């Protein structure tokens, strides 16, 4: 029998999952399969209608001007080697850019169909793929971008996410679900992954010394946003795959096929009620558990070993960081987080420079971030759902060097979680479903609030823009959300207040009549002015909104 | 009717399949056809006298039949399990993993493409209804 053979591609001593020959053979076979499918499409043996679900399951969308390829970055973790290959692909096959997305993936917006098998082959060589980044299947698993580094986590959620990645890859029963299916896993109290806005959200916990997960089911955004209710307070690791199969089987059997807008699991649970859903899952679970489909603890342990701590230096004697440069100090305050290890810091690189496209990075910037990871962060990077990049393990003594390098490549914006750290979907510039442009609006807002002192004074303010009701830009979960609508053939924007995708999850409410592009920027300014007038000490925008309600803001906007 | 593509050795069953209602209502029929929205579990008390179960796939996007297939195999059904309708060549490997061993695609399937598809993957990540050993089991002996 073939034994597990670690492959040498990514180099040793990396804290990312590394393929063995089994993983590699599956991903290689996928590339060959897609090459075959593309050939059959190009030679006319497959109609576009038949080809569509196949290409979607390989992350290939047809957009307004070209194909878009969405590359999976499982749970947002990647090595510098992988990052560099993304830069190479951007250069060779795209127009020199990659776009980091709200699901911790990367999109290339200018791809040729005939090139995609070669691109997938390049990805496979560094243990990457585009499997299930689209289509009505279980999508790329998302997680906390600070996993394995955060001071507040109970455990590293990534071994769980990798277990789920393998279980969900080419799942024979769940590849033609009623609708797409998104799973997020976290293991901290702070929710940095919008866990309850996923079809299934898992929070890793322990009960009596046994590791397991709280299971939330039926969240989602789109046209009918819903916050996932708790379906099971504790499923032990040893039952988790069986339990998830039960959750999905109930959905696959009952989920609606007649109306794609009502096909998400959130609608099923809303229609039958969470109690009935829970009972059906319990019954299904009792049966599935007898089939022996849960991997053993040894498999979890094998995976978890890849995510062991890197070789941290003894940093107890490090000198304190010199904060005398105001620009550097502002960046430290805004873009770094506490690390679980004293003497180390988590750095977030903002991909939201004023005037830029949220989430975009040039091939050169991608390479430069890979260099930084190699020099200062154990060759590891993360992608965040807010479309930024994380260097998870930076020695505090190196922060100044990292900052200087970021200044040189134009990525030192000190705006994490501030009003200019905007999430925006591709909108009318790329997307065939769009009602309105998102990117130019994001740029206008960033311009209006460009003054760093003003931004910092406004404090944490998550602003999210979607170009249509599908909500790819998470507008429902923005402290301030903007939704592009079509009003008698012209672009119009609705404003929402009070949403959150974090542990204080909530859905935003529409303020009232919509605005033109300039009108909505003015309206936001009236909203933030009112907040400044009303806030009490230490209140974030969303806290003030929750305390005083919509009325004062409405009055400020509409007079 | 389209000649079914059978991936089993026994002789084809020649009795025509009756609807689920007809099957449950009467009969000593030995072949039944279930529609995508039918509950496959209604057949579980009768599996030992069934030789053919045909599951309809009205549109290739409608994946309810994958669950139906597994449910029937998990309950011990060993007769012919046929996927009928909008069945595409690239879906047949997944259907096989869900226990289907007979296929009646509405549009003809290119045999060479099917052979390639069926032989493509040496390994699978999860246990299903086809007895393939998942890689987690191979890894840990
Ligand atoms: C440009 C091509 C794109 C198209 C055609 C597209 C299409 C859609 C559609 C139709 C939905 C609604 C699904 C539903 O409610 O069932 C959706 C939701 C979503 N999309 Fe996109 N999308 C695109 C790009 C993106 C990008 C670039 C991102 C990430 C930055 C993204 C992230 C999401 C997210 C997070 C949701 C919400 C998921 C939920 O409802 O829970 N999409 N998209
Ligand atoms: S929200 Fe609408 S406009 Fe924006 S990417 Fe999604 S589908 Fe396109």
């Amino acid at each position: 029998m073939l034994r597990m053979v670690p492959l040498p591609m990514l180099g040793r001593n990396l804290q990312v999952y590394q393929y063995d020959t089994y993983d590699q053979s599956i991903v290689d076979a996928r590339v060959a399969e897609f090459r075959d499918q593309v050939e059959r499409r190009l030679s006319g043996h497959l109609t576009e209608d038949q080809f569509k679900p196949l290409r979607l399951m390989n992350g290939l969308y047809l957009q307004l001007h070209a194909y878009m390829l969405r590359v999976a970055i499982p749970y947002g973790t990647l090595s510098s080697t992988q990052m560099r290959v993304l830069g190479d692909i951007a250069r060779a096959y795209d127009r020199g850019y990659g776009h980091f997305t709200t699901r911790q993936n990367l999109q290339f917006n200018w791809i040729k169909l005939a090139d995609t098998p070669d691109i997938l082959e390049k990805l496979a060589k560094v243990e990457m793929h585009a499997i299930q980044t689209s289509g009505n299947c279980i999508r790329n698993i998302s997680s906390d971008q600070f996993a394995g580094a955060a001071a507040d986590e109970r455990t590293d959620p990534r071994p769980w996410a990798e277990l789920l990645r393998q279980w969900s890859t080419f799942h024979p029963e769940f590849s033609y679900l009623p609708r797409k299916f998104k799973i997020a896993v976290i293991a901290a109290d702070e929710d940095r992954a919008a866990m309850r806005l996923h079809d299934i959200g898992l929070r890793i916990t322990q009960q009596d010394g046994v590791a397991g997960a709280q299971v939330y089911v039926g969240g989602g955004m789109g046209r009918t946003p819903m916050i996932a209710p708790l379906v099971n307070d504790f499923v032990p690791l040893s039952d988790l795959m069986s339990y998830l199969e039960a959750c999905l089987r109930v959905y696959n059997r009952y989920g609606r096929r007649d109306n794609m807008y009502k096909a998400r699991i959130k609608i099923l649970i809303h229609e039958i009620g969470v109690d009935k859903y829970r009972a059906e899952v319990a019954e299904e679970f009792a049966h599935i558990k007898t089939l022996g489909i849960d991997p053993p603890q040894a498999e979890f342990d094998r995976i978890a070993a890849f995510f062991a701590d890197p070789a941290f230096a003894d940093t107890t004697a490090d000198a304190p960081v010199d904060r005398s440069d105001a620009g550097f100090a502002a960046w430290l305050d805004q873009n770094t987080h506490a690390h679980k290890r004293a003497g180390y810091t988590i750095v977030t690189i903002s991909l939201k420079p004023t005037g830029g496209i949220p989430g975009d990075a040039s091939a050169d910037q991608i390479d430069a971030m890979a260099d930084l990871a190699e020099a200062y962060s154990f060759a590891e990077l993360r992608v965040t759902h807010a479309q930024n990049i994380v260097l998870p393990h930076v020695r505090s003594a190196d922060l100044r060097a990292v900052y200087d390098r970021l200044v040189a490549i134009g990525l030192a914006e000190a705006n994490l979680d501030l009003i200019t750290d905007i999430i925006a979907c591709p909108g009318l510039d790329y997307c065939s479903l769009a009602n309105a442009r998102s990117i130019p609006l994001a740029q206008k807002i960033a311009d209006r609030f460009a003054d760093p002192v003003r931004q910092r004074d406004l404090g944490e303010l998550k602003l999210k823009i979607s170009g249509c009701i599908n909500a790819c830009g998470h507008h429902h979960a923005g402290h301030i959300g903007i939704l592009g609508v079509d009003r008698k053939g012209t672009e119009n924007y609705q404003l929402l207040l009070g949403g959150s995708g974090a542990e204080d999850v909530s859905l935003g409410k529409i303020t009232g009549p919509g605005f033109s592009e300039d009108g909505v920027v003015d309206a936001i300014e009236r909203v933030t002015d009112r907040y400044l007038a009303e806030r009490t000490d230490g209140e974030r925008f969303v806290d003030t909104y929750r305390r005083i309600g919509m009325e004062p803001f409405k009055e400020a906007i509409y007079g | 009717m389209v000649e079914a593509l059978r991936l089993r050795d026994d002789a084809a069953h020649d009795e025509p399949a009756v609807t689920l209602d007809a099957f449950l209502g009467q009969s000593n029929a030995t072949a039944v056809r279930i529609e995508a929205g039918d509950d496959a579990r209604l057949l579980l008390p009768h599996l030992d006298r069934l030789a053919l179960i045909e599951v309809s796939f009205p549109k290739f996007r409608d994946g309810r039949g994958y669950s139906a297939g597994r449910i029937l195999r998990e309950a011990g059904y060993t007769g012919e399990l046929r996927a009928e309708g909008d069945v595409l060549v690239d879906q047949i490997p997944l259907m096989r993993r869900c226990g289907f061993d007979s296929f009646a695609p509405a549009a003809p399937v290119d045999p060479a493409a099917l052979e390639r598809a069926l032989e493509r993957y040496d390994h699978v990540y999860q246990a299903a209804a086809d007895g393939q050993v998942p890689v987690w089991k191979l890894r840990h002996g």
Side-chain angles (χ1 to χ4, degrees):
Chain A
M1 191 194 300
L2 205 64
R3 296 303 300 180
M4 180 174 70
V5 187
L7 299 171
M9 279 156 200
L10 297 182
R12 300 270 67 85
N13 304 324
L14 264 181
Q15 283 64 47
V16 301
Y17 181 74
Q18 297 183 41
Y19 286 5
D20 63 10
T21 44
Y22 299 120
D23 299 302
Q24 192 68 51
S25 93
I26 289 172
V27 169
D28 288 346
R30 178 56 150 199
V31 176
E33 179 179 45
F34 194 56
R35 195 178 285 287
D36 184 337
Q37 290 164 346
V38 169
E39 273 160 22
R40 279 186 282 141
R41 173 70 193 117
L42 292 173
S43 65
H45 286 87
L46 283 172
T47 65
E48 171 54 23
D49 194 43
Q50 293 168 337
F51 181 59
K52 188 173 167 190
L54 303 176
R55 68 168 162 77
L56 287 181
M57 273 183 239
N58 286 285
L60 196 63
Y61 275 85
L62 191 53
Q63 291 192 313
L64 276 180
H65 314 291
Y67 281 97
M68 174 270 272
L69 179 68
R70 186 181 289 159
V71 176
I73 300 177
Y75 34 92
T77 293
L78 77 173
S79 70
S80 55
T81 309
Q82 293 171 324
M83 186 78 160
R84 254 187 249 292
V85 167
L86 297 175
D88 291 346
I89 292 171
R91 230 175 252 118
Y93 299 100
D94 191 273
R95 298 186 177 174
Y97 281 89
H99 180 77
F100 292 94
T101 79
T102 50
R103 297 210 73 255
Q104 302 177 291
N105 293 324
L106 179 116
Q107 291 181 182
F108 295 113
N109 281 318
W110 302 96
I111 294 298
K112 292 193 191 68
L113 177 59
D115 286 338
T116 48
D118 291 342
I119 300 174
L120 294 183
E121 197 168 309
K122 281 206 160 55
L123 290 169
K125 291 206 167 97
V126 289
E127 307 181 8
M128 294 185 89
H129 57 72
I131 294 166
Q132 291 170 207
T133 55
S134 182
N136 293 337
C137 50
I138 303 171
R139 300 289 190 86
N140 182 32
I141 312 294
S142 59
S143 187
D144 185 341
Q145 68 268 17
F146 295 165
D152 70 338
E153 80 180 3
R154 288 178 210 139
T155 183
D156 189 337
R158 290 173 302 165
W160 301 71
E162 174 60 26
L163 202 64
L164 292 171
R165 181 191 75 82
Q166 298 193 19
W167 160 75
S168 61
T169 297
F170 308 139
H171 197 292
E173 187 175 341
F174 307 130
S175 289
Y176 290 87
L177 292 168
R179 205 68 184 85
K180 59 176 159 185
F181 204 91
K182 303 182 178 183
I183 302 179
V185 194
I186 63 171
D189 290 328
E190 198 176 314
D191 179 0
R192 290 173 282 259
M195 182 269 286
R196 290 182 68 190
L197 295 171
H198 284 72
D199 296 278
I200 290 185
L202 301 175
R203 178 186 271 118
I204 311 306
T205 63
Q206 279 212 350
Q207 238 177 43
D208 307 323
V210 176
Q214 287 182 307
V215 182
Y216 293 85
V217 190
M221 289 187 254
R223 63 187 60 215
T224 323
M226 289 191 193
I227 295 169
L230 184 65
V231 166
N232 196 319
D233 195 38
F234 188 75
V235 178
L237 171 60
S238 54
D239 289 344
L240 191 59
M241 297 309 134
S242 290
Y243 194 80
L244 295 180
E245 292 228 351
C247 289
L248 272 132
R249 181 175 285 179
V250 171
Y251 168 53
N252 191 40
R253 298 188 72 213
Y254 296 104
R256 291 177 62 161
R257 312 274 171 170
D258 58 329
N259 179 341
M260 90 170 216
Y261 300 120
K262 298 195 167 175
R264 296 283 295 270
I265 194 171
K266 63 192 174 188
I267 306 289
L268 173 71
I269 292 180
H270 187 71
E271 282 178 355
I272 70 174
V274 66
D275 291 330
K276 182 164 160 57
Y277 176 75
R278 184 185 292 118
E280 298 238 353
V281 169
E283 200 174 312
E284 197 69 63
F285 170 73
H287 159 68
I288 291 178
K289 188 57 198 171
T290 63
L291 303 173
I293 64 168
D294 286 288
Q297 181 69 34
E299 174 63 357
F300 181 85
D301 295 343
R302 180 190 77 87
I303 293 172
F306 289 106
F307 299 101
D309 280 345
F312 290 124
D314 178 6
T315 44
T316 43
D318 281 359
V321 178
D322 175 1
R323 298 174 47 96
S324 54
D325 171 356
F328 176 53
W331 178 83
L332 284 177
D333 289 340
Q334 214 53 53
N335 288 36
T336 67
H337 282 83
H339 198 281
K340 64 182 183 186
R341 175 92 177 195
Y344 280 84
T345 299
I346 303 172
V347 166
T348 303
I349 303 173
S350 168
L351 295 184
K352 320 289 176 65
T354 306
I357 296 176
D360 263 21
S362 70
D364 291 344
Q365 288 173 329
I366 290 173
D367 284 351
M369 289 189 277
D371 291 342
L372 276 172
E374 257 157 40
Y376 300 111
S377 185
F378 298 96
E380 208 192 313
L381 304 113
R382 310 288 176 78
V383 183
T384 84
H385 87 272
Q387 305 178 279
N388 294 314
I389 299 292
V390 169
L391 300 174
H393 314 292
V394 177
R395 194 166 167 169
S396 304
D398 291 332
L399 285 166
R400 180 73 211 204
V402 170
Y403 173 73
D404 288 341
R405 184 72 194 121
L406 289 173
V407 171
I409 59 173
L411 292 179
E413 199 82 9
N415 64 349
L416 192 70
D417 293 339
L418 301 182
I419 191 167
T420 59
D421 182 11
I422 298 169
I423 291 183
C425 79
L428 201 53
D429 295 297
Y430 295 100
C431 175
S432 49
L433 304 177
N435 289 321
R437 286 167 301 166
S438 308
I439 294 167
L441 176 59
Q443 290 166 331
K444 267 194 184 162
I445 296 168
D447 244 18
R448 179 75 62 97
F449 291 91
D451 175 5
V453 177
R454 183 178 188 196
Q455 287 185 48
R456 277 205 296 283
D457 182 38
L458 283 172
E460 181 184 306
L461 212 169
K462 299 189 181 179
L463 197 148
K464 310 189 184 203
I465 309 173
S466 303
C468 80
I469 193 79
N470 288 315
C472 304
H474 293 195
H475 66 274
H476 301 294
H479 294 169
I480 296 181
I482 300 173
L483 166 63
V485 293
D486 177 82
R487 198 163 153 275
K488 303 194 183 103
T490 56
E491 293 171 57
N492 191 265
Y493 297 92
Q494 287 181 343
L495 191 61
L496 293 87
L497 302 179
S500 169
E503 60 286 355
D504 61 348
V505 61
S506 59
L507 300 172
K509 288 204 173 56
I510 295 176
T511 55
F515 309 89
S516 67
E517 188 173 290
D518 289 323
V520 78
V521 184
D522 293 338
I524 292 168
E525 198 162 30
R526 286 195 284 272
V527 165
T528 55
D529 285 349
R530 176 55 65 102
Y531 156 64
L532 291 177
E534 299 279 350
R535 77 172 163 194
T536 60
D537 255 7
E539 256 185 357
R540 301 173 301 163
F541 168 80
V542 69
D543 301 326
T544 304
Y545 170 84
R546 285 173 182 160
R547 180 171 54 80
I548 68 177
M550 179 68 95
E551 272 319 304
F553 292 103
K554 262 187 149 152
E555 197 187 277
I557 300 169
Y558 301 103
Chain B
M1 208 194 99
V2 208
E3 184 76 25
L5 229 151
R6 300 176 80 250
L7 301 174
R8 48 187 292 140
D9 297 331
D10 57 355
H13 191 69
D14 49 17
E15 191 186 309
V18 302
T19 67
L20 181 63
D21 275 354
F23 177 83
L24 294 173
Q26 44 115 15
S27 101
N28 31 26
T30 56
V32 63
R33 169 188 167 87
I34 60 177
E35 302 303 328
D38 287 342
D39 182 0
R41 288 216 157 92
L42 296 175
L43 291 176
L44 299 194
H46 315 287
L47 292 181
D48 49 359
R49 67 178 169 88
L50 277 165
L52 169 67
I53 302 176
E54 186 173 284
V55 178
S56 150
F57 287 83
K59 291 202 183 101
F60 68 79
R61 283 192 197 83
D62 186 336
R64 287 177 282 191
Y66 295 87
S67 288
R70 268 188 84 185
I71 284 168
L72 293 166
R73 291 300 189 205
E74 285 163 9
Y77 175 65
T78 55
E80 180 167 344
L81 186 58
R82 180 180 295 168
E84 185 279 335
D86 198 4
V87 171
L88 305 180
V89 63
D90 296 283
Q91 297 181 308
I92 289 178
L94 295 173
M95 290 177 175
R96 258 184 80 79
R97 297 219 60 215
C98 290
F100 290 92
D101 54 10
S102 166
F103 304 90
V109 158
D110 170 9
L114 177 60
E115 201 180 315
R116 288 199 301 276
L118 285 173
E119 287 173 1
R120 180 90 59 202
Y121 290 94
D122 291 333
H123 299 292
V124 295
Y125 275 125
Q126 55 299 90
D130 60 344
Q132 275 206 75
V133 182
V135 294
W136 55 258
K137 206 168 242 173
L138 297 175
R139 283 172 179 145
H140 300 283

